[in-house]
Amino acid sequence: MVARVWSLMRFLIKGSVAGGAVYLVYDQELLGPSDKSQAALQKAGEVVPPAMYQFSQYVCQQTGLQIPQLPAPPKIDFPIRDSWNAGIMTVMSALSVAPSKAREYSKEGWEYVKARTK
Amino acid sequence: MSESELGRKWDRCLADAVVKIGTGFGLGIVFSLTFFKRRMWPLAFGSGMGLGMAYSNCQHDFQAPYLLHGKYVKEQEQ
């Protein structure tokens, strides 16, 4: 009797945990359109770091441990996206003019060799 | 489609893929621990479903260039 009640309780607890997870996903519309997912990711990016910081402060207060302050990450002012796009465009334009340039250079080279051998 | 709009679509696709794969993985972990005796297949199944949903969303987004995407603006309390 006790074992049956205990197995029923376990099933109910597991079911409620799984059901809660599914409801959370449904409520936050994480598996919905891409706009909602992007908004959820943005919200998580705003909420999670302060929450982690507060939790670490709480743990430090309760346990008396001192977490050393990490140095701030270096700020890189290099515009990676712009230089990547510029690089791609340069490579693609070079590839597009490559056949005509090769023809021009080979013609010039041929003219030069012809002039030298006369 | 302008280049900035294309870049925004790619950003949206990547964010969507990260969220969906993570959600599928998380649900897979929950179901693996609660009902499926810590097997690995719910994790793979959930991640795969998330990846497929993200791919489908991206495909619709790129193939329907005339749909407008709005932003949610919080109402200001007066």
Side-chain angles (χ1 to χ4, degrees):
Chain A
M1 179 67 184
V2 174
R4 204 181 277 182
V5 169
W6 175 236
S7 66
L8 179 67
M9 284 278 297
R10 252 182 26 192
F11 177 77
L12 286 175
I13 290 169
K14 287 181 186 177
S16 56
V17 166
V22 171
Y23 177 73
L24 182 71
V25 167
Y26 170 74
D27 188 48
Q28 297 293 319
E29 293 181 82
L30 296 175
L31 294 177
S34 52
D35 297 341
K36 309 259 173 80
S37 303
Q38 195 179 22
L41 192 66
Q42 209 168 358
K43 202 165 81 170
E46 285 165 12
V47 164
V48 165
M52 291 286 293
Y53 178 72
Q54 282 180 5
F55 180 70
S56 65
Q57 292 292 312
Y58 173 74
V59 166
C60 287
Q61 277 176 9
Q62 294 296 316
T63 58
L65 288 171
Q66 289 291 328
I67 296 177
Q69 285 285 332
L70 292 170
K75 284 197 180 172
I76 302 169
D77 283 334
F78 185 68
I80 296 173
R81 188 178 280 184
D82 292 340
S83 54
W84 175 261
N85 288 344
I88 294 286
M89 285 195 288
T90 308
V91 166
M92 288 299 155
S93 60
L95 282 175
S96 68
V97 301
S100 50
K101 284 284 180 183
R103 187 179 151 206
E104 197 183 303
Y105 293 149
S106 59
K107 191 176 167 187
E108 277 177 24
W110 178 246
E111 296 292 327
Y112 177 76
V113 166
K114 247 171 56 175
R116 293 287 290 202
T117 52
K118 269 186 187 169
Chain B
M1 205 187 306
S2 67
E3 199 176 299
S4 61
E5 179 63 28
L6 193 64
R8 271 200 293 275
K9 284 192 184 213
W10 272 113
D11 288 344
R12 202 159 45 229
C13 272
L14 285 175
D16 190 35
V18 165
V19 169
K20 286 194 166 49
I21 292 172
T23 303
F25 189 74
L27 279 178
I29 288 177
V30 168
F31 277 92
S32 168
L33 290 175
T34 50
F35 294 115
F36 296 114
K37 296 174 189 170
R38 298 179 192 176
R39 300 261 168 86
M40 289 304 290
W41 69 264
L43 278 77
F45 185 72
S47 308
M49 274 197 64
L51 180 66
M53 289 163 101
Y55 184 83
S56 173
N57 275 357
C58 284
Q59 199 173 27
H60 283 128
D61 211 3
F62 281 110
Q63 286 178 355
Y66 304 113
L67 287 178
L68 295 173
H69 289 272
K71 277 190 203 172
Y72 289 97
V73 178
K74 285 185 192 172
E75 285 182 14
Q76 299 288 335
E77 285 181 20
Q78 292 180 357

